[in-house]
Amino acid sequence: MKLDSYIDAGTLASVEFANKLTPGYANGKPVAEIDVLQAVREVVAIDPPSVAAVSENDADGFVALAERLRAIFVDIDRGDIDDAAELLNNILLEHPATPYLAKEEGVWHLHHHPANAAVLPMWTAICAEGLARMIGTQNAHRLGICMADNCDRVFADTSKNATRRFCSSACQNRTKTAAFRARKRDAEANESKS
Ligand SMILES: [Zn+2]
């Protein structure tokens, strides 16, 4: 199975919404004040009509969506797939996808929603379906929360062996450096004792 056949745009957008729109810690520092509209536009950038459609009225809704998505990663990270599935089913019931064929430059494409769909419910459905597919294809273990100190950002693991534990290479390197320093400190302490 190809990696990108189960990690889709909805899963990647879920990661970005959770990381850009929820408070907490990122790479050792508290998350700075969030410019919600700017962050949402960055996440939906793959769909230019969505970027144009996002307005101030959607800001609170996207923050609420990000909190719900984050809660799903938290459940999965502690191995509680049943709870994550229940949260996702609730969102999917509230915001069903409405598949729609649109003709673009003479070619028919199947989309999640009609082009004039409202941007918040559309992205809610896209994100929930992406994460639901991860669970439904036995790939929930690829969703997780960074294990570095002072970081709680989420990730979707696209590596072949599904061994990712950090949100970023910055957090991975930070953790390695801290472990190296700790070992060195222990070694020096042992030397001074002898
Ligand atoms: Zn991290």
Side-chain angles (χ1 to χ4, degrees):
M1 191 195 262
K2 261 176 70 204
L3 283 174
D4 56 6
S5 63
Y6 58 79
I7 296 189
D8 66 1
T11 297
L12 298 178
S14 298
V15 168
E16 284 197 69
F17 279 132
N19 284 347
K20 286 179 193 278
L21 293 181
T22 62
Y25 283 81
N27 191 18
K29 294 185 217 96
V31 171
E33 206 179 317
I34 300 161
D35 180 340
V36 174
L37 283 185
Q38 173 63 29
V40 171
R41 289 190 180 114
E42 284 169 21
V43 179
V44 303
I46 54 164
D47 182 44
S50 291
V51 178
V54 172
S55 79
E56 193 66 52
N57 296 334
D58 302 313
D60 289 350
F62 274 107
V63 170
L65 170 62
E67 299 280 2
R68 294 179 89 180
L69 294 171
R70 184 174 168 76
I72 292 160
F73 280 88
V74 169
D75 278 342
I76 291 174
D77 194 67
R78 62 166 175 245
D80 205 340
I81 314 290
D82 292 0
D83 267 12
E86 193 180 328
L87 292 176
L88 279 166
N89 277 340
N90 291 341
I91 301 177
L92 289 167
L93 278 173
E94 288 165 30
H95 300 281
T98 44
Y100 184 84
L101 283 163
K103 203 172 200 177
E104 287 153 17
E105 293 172 4
V107 182
W108 287 101
H109 292 274
L110 182 59
H111 293 275
H112 250 78
H113 287 74
N116 62 357
V119 70
L120 177 60
M122 177 173 85
W123 279 93
T124 303
I126 291 172
C127 288
E129 200 183 314
L131 295 184
R133 185 170 294 115
M134 294 297 283
I135 293 180
T137 56
Q138 281 63 57
N139 280 297
H141 61 286
R142 289 180 175 274
L143 304 174
I145 295 178
C146 185
M147 64 160 295
D149 286 343
N150 295 318
C151 184
D152 59 13
R153 301 297 90 178
V154 308
F155 62 81
D157 186 351
T158 56
S159 72
K160 198 165 170 230
N161 301 325
T163 52
R164 184 165 165 183
R165 294 176 301 150
F166 300 99
C167 70
S168 60
S169 51
C171 273
Q172 184 171 18
N173 293 337
R174 196 158 60 81
T175 304
K176 269 192 205 156
T177 307
F180 172 76
R181 290 210 184 113
R183 275 198 304 274
K184 203 171 154 209
R185 242 190 341 265
D186 285 352
E188 280 164 7
N190 285 337
E191 246 169 55
S192 65
K193 266 188 240 157
S194 58

